[in-house]
Amino acid sequence: MSPRAGLDLTQIVVTAAQLADTEGVEAVTLASLAQKLGVRSPSLYNHINGLPALRSHLVLYGLEQLNDALREASGQRQGEEAVMDIANAYLSFARNHPGLYSLTLRSPSHEHQEHVKLGGELVERLLTALKPYELSQEQGIHAVRGLRSLLHGFASIEAEGGFGMPLEVNESFRFALRRFLAGLAQPNL
């Protein structure tokens, strides 16, 4: 059976990503995706090899989108403002693409080399932004993990409605980031 005219892998992945963002990752099934695309589920097999393959494509798409957002926010800039811009882009991505964002969190499996490559690009972008803090390679990885934890913690608490106090949430975000970066600037801590 030949693929439906006009239907391609890109359209399938983009539609699945939209479904993940609006309904949640668990709502992305071949049946729900086929319904959204107006085709029968078996038609999808002309383009993807089942739900695990679709999930792999979604992870790749999510990592590409997140990388693009962070690259656009920071370029190759370094220092506090670059980190703040990266953090804002990261939080914006998590807010606007909750389904895709959740798929970017797991450490990439070495059996998916493109996932590993894109995950490495994210880490390298953060390490580049943190260069003025003069961290060793090991300290840089610790700092990236700490920053990622701060960003994810903030994004996940916000997504669950956990910030109910009458203070501006974005101000809290900037406050926490600046305190984190101030700690990195103190080499003896």
Side-chain angles (χ1 to χ4, degrees):
M1 178 188 288
S2 64
R4 184 186 117 197
L7 185 65
D8 61 17
L9 181 59
T10 300
Q11 181 184 8
I12 290 169
V13 172
V14 168
T15 302
Q18 291 167 347
L19 190 58
D21 287 340
T22 58
E23 305 293 327
V25 174
E26 296 307 316
V28 179
T29 64
L30 294 180
S32 65
L33 182 56
Q35 181 180 18
K36 185 98 169 152
L37 289 165
V39 300
R40 295 178 331 156
S41 294
S43 299
L44 296 175
Y45 284 94
N46 292 315
H47 304 280
I48 54 169
N49 191 17
L51 190 56
L54 176 61
R55 291 272 166 92
S56 180
H57 285 291
L58 281 172
V59 170
L60 186 61
Y61 182 70
L63 288 168
E64 288 169 344
Q65 296 299 306
L66 181 56
N67 260 313
D68 288 349
L70 301 189
R71 185 180 314 107
E72 187 176 310
S74 69
Q76 290 297 316
R77 292 181 304 120
Q78 300 176 358
E80 181 177 331
E81 290 310 310
V83 175
M84 296 298 286
D85 289 346
I86 287 170
N88 286 323
Y90 185 99
L91 184 59
S92 180
F93 181 83
R95 287 171 172 165
N96 295 324
H97 302 286
L100 273 183
Y101 170 70
S102 71
L103 291 167
T104 67
L105 296 174
R106 177 167 275 170
S107 182
S109 166
H110 289 285
E111 61 193 44
H112 300 298
Q113 287 303 308
E114 191 63 21
H115 297 179
V116 172
K117 178 182 168 272
L118 290 169
E121 285 178 22
L122 286 171
V123 171
E124 284 303 316
R125 184 158 316 285
L126 291 171
L127 288 171
T128 296
L130 293 169
K131 274 190 180 177
Y133 295 94
E134 299 180 3
L135 305 169
S136 69
Q137 182 68 20
E138 184 176 311
Q139 291 171 329
I141 297 300
H142 291 314
V144 166
R145 286 177 175 170
L147 179 58
R148 182 178 175 211
S149 296
L150 191 155
L151 297 174
H152 174 66
F154 201 94
S156 64
I157 292 170
E158 183 181 49
E160 294 297 321
F163 295 131
M165 299 178 95
L167 287 173
E168 169 56 40
V169 173
N170 289 330
E171 280 300 315
S172 296
F173 183 62
R174 285 187 289 277
F175 176 87
L177 283 169
R178 285 207 165 86
R179 292 293 184 235
F180 176 80
L181 294 173
L184 291 181
Q186 301 298 316
N188 295 326
L189 287 181

